[in-house]
Amino acid sequence: MPVLDEATTFLRQQYLFVRQQFRHLQAGLNYLSGRPLPDTRFVLFGRGRSGTTALVSMLDDVPGLRCEGEVLHDYVPFPRRHVLGRTARCSAEAYGCKILSYQIEDVQRPPGRHEDFLHTLHHDHGFHILYLRRTHLLRHALSNIWARQDTFHRKKSAPDTEPTAPRVAPEHVIEWMERAEALREYEATLLKGVPHLSLTYEEHIRHDKAHQPTVDMICDFLNIDSVPVESSYRKTAPSALRERVANYEALARRLRGTPYAEYLD
């Protein structure tokens, strides 16, 4: 079975790569065709496990607005042209897509300086920038670790099952938080000189009651009409960290005395 699983994973990866390159070809043709871009266009920029998927779901429910997911998840030769081509093929009045910071840093190789990627999209091509981040480093790290085993967020149509709290390696958690801090600094360089709407998971995504005001604020920022929306994702993670981690006390002992102790319950 492990061999079969490995073969299935390999074939899936190859399929996704080929699909991405086909979409890149389509995007390139759209870019070269000179088709006009939608009047309103934006990038939802941030980091994985920060509420970006839920926000894409909500924004995509707004009439006249098409919001895509991670258009730069896999390598493409011309990432900026890929974004422009994906935008050009959209027939809606407003178009947005999600781009994660690690994709600009590690996956893509845009011509020129990486740091100019968002700057060029905004200043040269009229893209608005929405920046969504997660401020609680420990919860963010645990969310990333858990996502590689199961998920604390599921489609609302999925069967109701109780997630099992995982055991975590404290050093692994610290590595995730250190990586998050490094990405936060990198994101600051990408956003330097780029006007943007700043959002946080904790204030704008975590609680259901914040969803509609968040969408209203974004629509106002984009100068489009808002409507009542509802995320198709539901949060299933317990709120207390002690319930999220099977060996919470061991994790707490390791973090005490470090800058990350402030994130403990």
Side-chain angles (χ1 to χ4, degrees), residues 3-5 20 27 30 58 65 69-70 79 105 143-144 148 150 200 212 220 236 245:
V3 174
L4 179 59
D5 291 341
Q20 176 75 337
N30 285 323
M58 288 185 279
L65 189 159
E70 299 174 33
E105 183 181 35
S143 180
N144 275 290
R148 282 148 181 80
D150 194 345
T200 66
Q212 189 63 54
D220 183 64
T236 61
V245 183

Side-chain angles (χ1 to χ4, degrees), residues 163-176:
T164 303
R167 297 181 65 84
V168 295
E171 295 301 329
H172 190 39
V173 175
I174 291 176
E175 289 172 3
W176 270 106

Side-chain angles (χ1 to χ4, degrees), residues 63-83:
L65 189 159
R66 172 74 175 104
C67 192
E68 287 195 283
E70 299 174 33
V71 297
L72 296 181
H73 181 273
D74 298 300
Y75 169 77
V76 293
F78 305 102
R80 192 175 293 110
R81 291 185 184 181
H82 184 78
V83 173

Side-chain angles (χ1 to χ4, degrees), residues 48-115:
R49 310 302 298 177
S50 294
T52 53
T53 299
L55 186 53
V56 165
S57 170
M58 288 185 279
L59 292 176
D60 202 42
D61 282 345
V62 176
L65 189 159
R66 172 74 175 104
C67 192
E68 287 195 283
E70 299 174 33
V71 297
L72 296 181
H73 181 273
D74 298 300
Y75 169 77
V76 293
F78 305 102
R80 192 175 293 110
R81 291 185 184 181
H82 184 78
V83 173
L84 292 171
R86 296 283 283 258
T87 308
R89 74 174 186 170
C90 177
S91 59
E93 297 176 4
Y95 171 84
C97 61
K98 176 169 72 169
I99 298 176
L100 302 183
S101 52
Y102 87 90
Q103 294 165 355
I104 301 175
E105 183 181 35
D106 299 328
V107 179
Q108 306 298 331
R109 293 190 289 273
R113 301 190 329 138
H114 286 206
E115 292 80 2

Side-chain angles (χ1 to χ4, degrees), residues 117-258:
F117 191 82
L118 294 181
H119 189 279
T120 301
L121 284 178
H122 172 73
H123 290 286
D124 294 356
H125 302 289
F127 280 77
H128 299 281
I129 307 298
L130 312 177
Y131 177 40
L132 178 59
R133 60 193 177 91
R134 192 165 182 169
T135 60
H136 198 293
L137 293 183
L138 179 53
R139 288 181 181 273
H140 193 194
L142 293 172
S143 180
N144 275 290
I145 292 170
W146 179 263
R148 282 148 181 80
Q149 303 176 44
D150 194 345
T151 180
F152 273 129
H153 289 78
R154 297 192 177 91
K155 282 277 191 176
K156 286 186 176 178
S157 58
D160 289 327
T161 56
E162 288 295 329
T164 303
R167 297 181 65 84
V168 295
E171 295 301 329
H172 190 39
V173 175
I174 291 176
E175 289 172 3
W176 270 106
M177 290 191 284
E178 291 174 342
R179 171 61 173 161
E181 289 184 306
L183 272 177
R184 183 167 56 192
E185 294 180 5
Y186 178 67
E187 289 159 5
T189 65
L190 291 171
L191 290 166
K192 186 176 181 179
V194 180
H196 58 276
L197 178 63
S198 184
L199 307 164
T200 66
Y201 170 84
E202 288 79 7
E203 181 179 357
H204 299 100
I205 303 297
R206 184 180 182 186
H207 303 291
D208 290 349
K209 64 181 181 181
H211 291 175
Q212 189 63 54
T214 297
V215 171
D216 293 343
M217 178 173 59
I218 291 173
C219 287
D220 183 64
F221 178 73
L222 299 175
N223 196 27
I224 60 177
D225 294 331
S226 183
V227 297
V229 299
E230 181 181 1
S231 172
S232 61
Y233 287 79
R234 57 183 170 86
K235 184 177 177 63
T236 61
S239 58
L241 285 176
R242 293 177 181 275
E243 299 176 30
R244 297 191 66 177
V245 183
N247 58 329
Y248 175 81
E249 292 302 330
L251 176 62
R253 284 195 299 272
R254 177 62 183 87
L255 295 185
R256 291 190 183 105
T258 74

